[in-house]
Amino acid sequence: MSKQAGLLPAIDLTADTPCCPPLAQSRVPAQTAAVLAPAFKALGDPVRLQLMSMIASAKGGEACVCDLTPAFDLTGPTISHHLKTLREAGLVDAERRGTWVYYRARPAILRQLAGLLSVEPAAVA
Amino acid sequence: MSKQAGLLPAIDLTADTPCCPPLAQSRVPAQTAAVLAPAFKALGDPVRLQLMSMIASAKGGEACVCDLTPAFDLTGPTISHHLKTLREAGLVDAERRGTWVYYRARPAILRQLAGLLSVEPAAVA
DNA sequence: CGTCTGTCTTGACGTTCGTCGAATCAGAGA
DNA sequence: TCTCTGATTCGACGAACGTCAAGACAGACG
């Protein structure tokens, strides 16, 4: 077994979860909270939020680490650590192609999180 | 000045921020990330995610701490601490009425976060 | 006033996080 | 093969987090 094969997401959000009624509509069950909270937590760092955005909005739907790293005043290992956090939260996928590693967003979980947060436009008035 | 008047949110998300184009559409600026990341971070704990949901989905739009606390296997101070975190992230408002304190969700920021996460239904196909 | 109940603050504890430098791995090319 | 470059892992550090017990504050009711 390759020692550096940790490029797969640790949890699979696309399967089990029943795609979340809005948080403001019915109480989130403890189990759902336990699954989704780590995703919010991963987004809870300014660097990771920007990384996520750069990946999700990248041309072709994917971004190379080599383009991501120089966008911050941080070392390579630190960016790699943040990308690993996003990966383990199930927010992105990574794929190595030759010398470079490309990251790609997982729209399904993004939609889940957005749906959980959604509020009726004229909720309280 | 009352020593226990820390019931107001620490930041005002409803004013400055220009209501966020989707994260997957254009790169989130560092400044926006710095403002919004703490909100995601606040949602990044299972207990707080449930608290937020219980408050936002409560009948009348508000929930009493006395109803929130017994829903968890945690002490009062711990729940109070989590509520303070939600307050400081601008996600909820608190109001004391007589003996009890009521919490109320702030739909505006919820909408902002949901909008940031929104993805076109058939984004990548 | 005194007391009781509900909530928040303080102080402490162990754990996790964000960051770095150094070392390692993976692939490309000479 | 050896070397070079890109990316990750490892080990360490200080800072922040989640939790609790103990104490303080606010309001209601005698």
Side-chain angles (χ1 to χ4, degrees):
Chain A
M1 185 187 284
S2 170
K3 208 177 285 181
Q4 200 179 359
L7 293 178
L8 299 176
I11 53 178
D12 179 18
L13 277 315
T14 61
D16 312 339
T17 18
C19 205
C20 46
L23 174 159
Q25 191 171 297
S26 66
R27 179 181 167 186
V28 172
Q31 192 177 336
T32 303
V35 174
L36 258 17
F40 283 121
K41 185 190 230 173
L43 258 14
D45 179 278
V47 173
R48 286 196 295 265
L49 195 52
Q50 289 178 84
L51 280 172
M52 189 68 212
S53 175
M54 292 174 72
I55 294 168
S57 69
K59 206 159 54 83
E62 61 183 14
C64 173
V65 176
C66 59
D67 293 328
L68 264 17
T69 303
F72 300 88
D73 274 340
L74 293 171
T75 64
T78 297
I79 297 297
S80 189
H81 160 72
H82 284 307
L83 289 171
K84 181 181 185 181
T85 300
L86 290 173
R87 231 187 300 135
E88 290 177 343
L91 288 163
V92 299
D93 271 332
E95 183 194 354
R96 166 158 238 140
R97 283 208 301 279
T99 306
W100 295 280
V101 176
Y102 294 87
Y103 280 77
R104 182 177 289 272
R106 297 168 72 91
I109 183 171
L110 245 30
R111 264 191 287 270
Q112 262 195 56
L113 299 179
L116 192 71
L117 261 28
S118 71
V119 185
E120 289 68 41
V124 185
Chain B
M1 184 184 284
S2 169
K3 207 178 285 181
Q4 201 179 357
L7 294 178
L8 299 175
I11 53 179
D12 179 18
L13 277 314
T14 60
D16 311 338
T17 17
C19 204
C20 45
L23 173 160
Q25 192 170 296
S26 66
R27 179 180 168 186
V28 172
Q31 192 177 336
T32 303
V35 174
L36 259 16
F40 283 120
K41 185 190 227 172
L43 258 15
D45 179 278
V47 173
R48 286 195 296 267
L49 195 52
Q50 289 178 83
L51 280 172
M52 190 66 212
S53 175
M54 291 175 72
I55 294 168
S57 68
K59 207 160 54 83
E62 62 184 13
C64 173
V65 176
C66 59
D67 293 328
L68 265 17
T69 303
F72 300 88
D73 275 339
L74 293 170
T75 65
T78 297
I79 297 297
S80 188
H81 160 71
H82 284 306
L83 289 171
K84 181 181 186 181
T85 300
L86 289 174
R87 230 187 299 136
E88 289 177 344
L91 288 163
V92 299
D93 270 333
E95 184 195 351
R96 164 160 239 140
R97 284 208 300 279
T99 305
W100 294 281
V101 176
Y102 293 89
Y103 280 77
R104 183 177 288 275
R106 295 169 74 91
I109 182 173
L110 244 31
R111 264 191 287 271
Q112 262 194 56
L113 299 179
L116 193 70
L117 260 28
S118 71
V119 184
E120 289 69 41
V124 184

